[in-house]
């Protein structure tokens, strides 16, 4: 049922019986549906939500998977718990309690600073292509089930096109069905191939800037995962041009390798796999081709014009956090959009008023994130500075009661557990700068280097 708005200003808003189309049932689409229905119920508003999602998240391999490294940040786990969204043990492939940082001059291990804080590694789909028996459950599948549990309807179809009819978005699926909605929410991720469907809407929307990344799964079996990786995420800060950072993550019977940067291609992947540091993380006999691989796009800069009357873009196709905690950003944009739709309205002016601030917060934080990663890029090819960093982390890890200045900065940068501006602020604190400079000077001086050898 389509109901005309009743606002004096003639602005569209959701009313009893309004229909909402959510295109894409990944984290952003599932979170949005979950919160929209929940908030609407609290306002005694009866809305119908259809989630269009063609993937079967319970099928192994790329067809059932929204490719990603699958690290759920500790801050997101805690926030979701306060929303009543808990990750059941079947969804968590592994609880992560430390990060091992590999550089060209050595490695160090950083343990989670607060014991209760745990990071989870998950599979977005059922698991890699060669999975024979599913022991775990898909993260995206779990979120979608939660949204369905709230009352959303899952339409297992791909949206082929969206156009305007009678001033409202009309959704056409590839199985030939079409329907009119009061609000269309795009949660379609960043694959440029998905954008054809919005051409007819003639929006001001300009998609996010993207880069290619790479994910590869290696079957090791549980025992060898324990032996080679343990409960640790292995992070690599190596001077390979075009590679921002790489990670190897333990998940069930597999190790997931993830490479992110502006120049990730086949050659870069091969040069990373052949580094001594990467080889140490995987048994020698493992086939470097892996059992499942993909090269998904990653959002490098937010979309422009992410909303208009009756339309909003959330998650990766809108704004997301640079390199880290994209699922956390999907949660933030989804909740901000759902709150706006229920409490403000669904016009461009409404999104501008209550959705845009969240969007801007993410994008402004990414500007600082770019500086943080530029500094990482500088450090990773400077032997002594890198040595100073490792020395400072090692010292802090040996004295867990002392301030964990560098450990905290490295931890939060790579786990995505804190905003970039918070991380940056800590790096310009005089105590941080003094300790870092002191440790770097000790690296340069032969006396300091000798002492370090004894201490380490
Ligand atoms: C290499 C890599 C590693 C990453 N690692 C992490 C990590 O460790 N932790 C983290 O938090 N984030 C990580 N991210 C980011 C994370 O994957 C994204 O931020 C997150 O998936 C965004 O969720 P979304 O719902 O916006 O988009 P997506 O997860 O991409 O979901 C989009 C959905 O839309 C559906 N869809 C697309 N077109 C249509 C259509 N026409 N009709 C119907 N449905 C459609 C798709 O099937 C899909 O299910 C990583 C990303 C990459 C590329």
């Amino acid at each position: 049922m389509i109901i005309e708005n009743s606002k004096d200003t003639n602005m569209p808003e959701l009313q009893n019986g309004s229909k909402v189309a959510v295109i894409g049932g990944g984290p952003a689409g599932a979170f949005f549906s979950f919160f929209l229905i929940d908030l609407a119920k609290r306002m005694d508003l009866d809305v119908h939500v259809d989630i269009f999602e063609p993937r079967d998240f319970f099928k192994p391999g790329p067809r059932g998977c929204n490719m990603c490294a699958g690290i759920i940040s500790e801050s997101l786990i805690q926030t979701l718990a306060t929303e009543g969204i808990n990750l059941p043990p079947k969804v968590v492939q592994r609880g992560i309690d430390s990060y091992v940082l590999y550089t060209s001059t050595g490695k160090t291990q950083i343990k989670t600073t607060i014991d209760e804080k745990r990071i989870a590694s998950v599979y977005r789909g059922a698991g890699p292509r060669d999975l024979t028996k599913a022991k775990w459950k898909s993260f995206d599948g779990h979120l979608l089930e939660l949204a369905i549990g709230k009352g959303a309807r899952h339409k297992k179809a791909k949206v082929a096109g969206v156009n305007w009819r009678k001033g409202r978005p009309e959704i056409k699926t590839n199985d030939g069905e079409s329907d009119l909605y009061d609000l269309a929410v795009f949660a379609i991720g960043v694959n440029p191939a998905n954008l054809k469907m919005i051409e007819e809407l003639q929006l001001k929307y300009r998609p996010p800037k993207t880069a290619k990344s790479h994910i590869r799964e290696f079957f090791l079996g549980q025992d060898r995962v324990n032996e080679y990786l343990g409960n640790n995420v292995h992070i690599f800060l190596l001077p390979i041009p075009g590679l921002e950072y790489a990670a190897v993550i333990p998940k069930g019977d597999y190790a997931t390798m993830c490479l992110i940067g502006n120049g990730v291609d086949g050659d870069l992947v091969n040069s990373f796999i052949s580094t001594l540091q990467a080889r140490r993380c995987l048994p020698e006999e493992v086939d470097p081709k892996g059992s499942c691989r993909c090269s998904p796009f990653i959002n490098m800069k937010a979309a422009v014009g992410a909303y208009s009357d009756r339309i909003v873009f959330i998650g990766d196709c809108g704004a997301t956090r640079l390199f880290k905690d994209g699922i956390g950003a999907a949660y933030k944009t989804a909740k901000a959009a759902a709150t706006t739709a229920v409490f403000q309205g669904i016009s461009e002016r409404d999104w501008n008023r209550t959705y845009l601030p969240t969007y801007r917060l993410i994008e402004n934080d990414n500007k600082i994130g770019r500086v943080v990663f530029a500094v990482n890029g500088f450090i990773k090819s400077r032997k002594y500075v890198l040595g100073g960093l490792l020395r400072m982390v090692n010292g802090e890890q040996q004295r867990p009661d002392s301030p964990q200045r560098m450990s905290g900065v490295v931890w939060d940068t790579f786990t995505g557990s804190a905003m970039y501006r918070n991380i940056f602020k800590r790096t310009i604190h005089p105590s941080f700068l003094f300790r870092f400079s002191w440790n770097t000077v000790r690296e340069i001086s032969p006396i300091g280097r000798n002492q370090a050898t004894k201490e380490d």
Side-chain angles (χ1 to χ4, degrees), residues 22-30 52-55 57 66-73 76 124 140 157-160 187-191 194 197 211 213-215 245 249 258-260 296-299 314-317 320-321 323-330:
V22 178
I23 306 157
F52 293 86
E53 174 54 67
R55 282 189 205 280
F57 294 123
N66 282 324
M67 303 97 179
C68 130
I71 295 291
I72 311 298
S73 72
L76 180 61
R124 304 286 302 274
D140 287 23
K158 184 173 177 170
V159 172
I188 52 177
V190 277
N191 188 340
N194 293 339
M197 81 174 101
S213 56
H214 189 82
I215 297 175
Y245 71 92
I249 302 138
C258 172
L259 294 119
I260 290 181
F297 288 95
I298 189 159
N299 177 323
I314 58 171
D316 266 18
C317 62
T320 190
R321 188 185 151 101
F323 298 142
K324 290 276 145 193
D325 195 27
I327 297 168

Side-chain angles (χ1 to χ4, degrees), residues 173-194:
T173 57
N174 62 353
D175 51 15
E177 289 199 5
S178 66
D179 210 346
L180 214 52
Y181 287 86
D182 294 278
L183 168 66
V185 179
F186 290 88
I188 52 177
V190 277
N191 188 340
N194 293 339

